[in-house]
Amino acid sequence: MKAAIIYASTHHGNTKKLVDAIAGKYPVTVFDAQTVPAADLTGYDLIGFASGIAWGKFYESVERFAQASLPEGKQIFFLYTCADNSRDFAASLRAVAAERGAEDLGTYACKGFNSYGPWKLVGGINKKHPTADEIQRAVDFFAALVRKISSSSKDGKSAI
Ligand SMILES: Cc1cc2nc3c(=O)[nH]c(=O)nc-3n(C[C@H](O)[C@H](O)[C@H](O)COP(=O)(O)O)c2cc1C
């Protein structure tokens, strides 16, 4: 079974820290949506979308990649970092996935350093985020998805 993560992390590389930690532990193919606009994802069983949040949504490059490349009927998940982790910022991308008949396995989100707009004047907020603990929890989240897929696979073998 093959896994891919499509990400964009243009503000401070906050989301990339989560993606790098996962890809450092698991054999995941990583696509940077800022430089790769689309890819053939038909051979991937598990597909993650990861992004910082701008104006309440995943970055446009990730949304465009999903529109261009998400095949029908995939198992998917979402990762994001944001300034204010109290809302569901994956909603619009989740709607795209639902149109493609995707099985949504869940979302992991945490705070990320933000120095956009007025926050720049005070040196930014969430300066220490994502923390080592938050990064580890992203890896744990991915590990749980792999376990879930493994336990539901026909032969019961490790999924990844
Ligand atoms: C242009 C811009 C708009 C943003 N809009 C939001 C927002 O609507 N809600 C939020 O919680 N954070 C917002 N943020 C904060 C980022 O989502 C946050 O800093 C995130 O961790 C950046 O991730 P990255 O470093 O991976 O790009 C915004 C940041 C920028 C630069």
Side-chain angles (χ1 to χ4, degrees):
M1 111 109 196
K2 286 173 70 184
I5 298 178
I6 294 90
Y7 84 99
S9 184
T10 52
H11 189 37
H12 286 293
N14 299 326
T15 313
K16 187 172 188 300
K17 290 177 185 168
L18 312 184
V19 174
D20 285 349
I22 292 168
K25 195 151 180 214
Y26 291 91
V28 174
T29 305
V30 175
F31 297 97
D32 180 352
Q34 292 294 124
T35 53
V36 181
D40 180 2
L41 298 178
T42 49
Y44 294 92
D45 310 285
L46 177 62
I47 298 169
F49 294 98
S51 181
I53 299 302
W55 301 290
K57 291 169 64 179
F58 275 45
Y59 294 156
E60 279 300 319
S61 60
V62 176
E63 297 244 348
R64 277 199 301 270
F65 195 117
Q67 288 279 7
S69 303
L70 180 62
E72 288 286 325
K74 294 293 183 182
Q75 292 180 302
I76 56 145
F77 66 94
F78 302 99
L79 301 172
Y80 61 84
T81 64
C82 58
D84 174 16
N85 188 19
S86 62
R87 285 176 45 200
D88 175 15
F89 290 125
S92 83
L93 196 46
R94 194 174 288 118
V96 173
E99 282 170 17
R100 306 277 164 92
E103 182 186 354
D104 182 356
L105 298 183
T107 301
Y108 175 81
C110 69
K111 286 183 186 174
F113 176 42
N114 176 31
S115 60
Y116 181 64
W119 295 114
K120 198 169 183 177
L121 301 173
V122 293
I125 54 167
N126 305 336
K127 282 185 191 164
K128 296 187 173 158
H129 296 268
T131 63
D133 186 51
E134 287 166 333
I135 294 168
Q136 182 57 47
R137 272 189 266 147
V139 176
D140 294 346
F141 166 79
F142 185 81
L145 297 186
V146 171
R147 277 198 302 277
K148 184 176 173 174
I149 293 172
S150 302
S151 66
S152 60
S153 74
K154 286 187 192 107
D155 58 9
K157 284 185 189 155
S158 176
I160 193 162

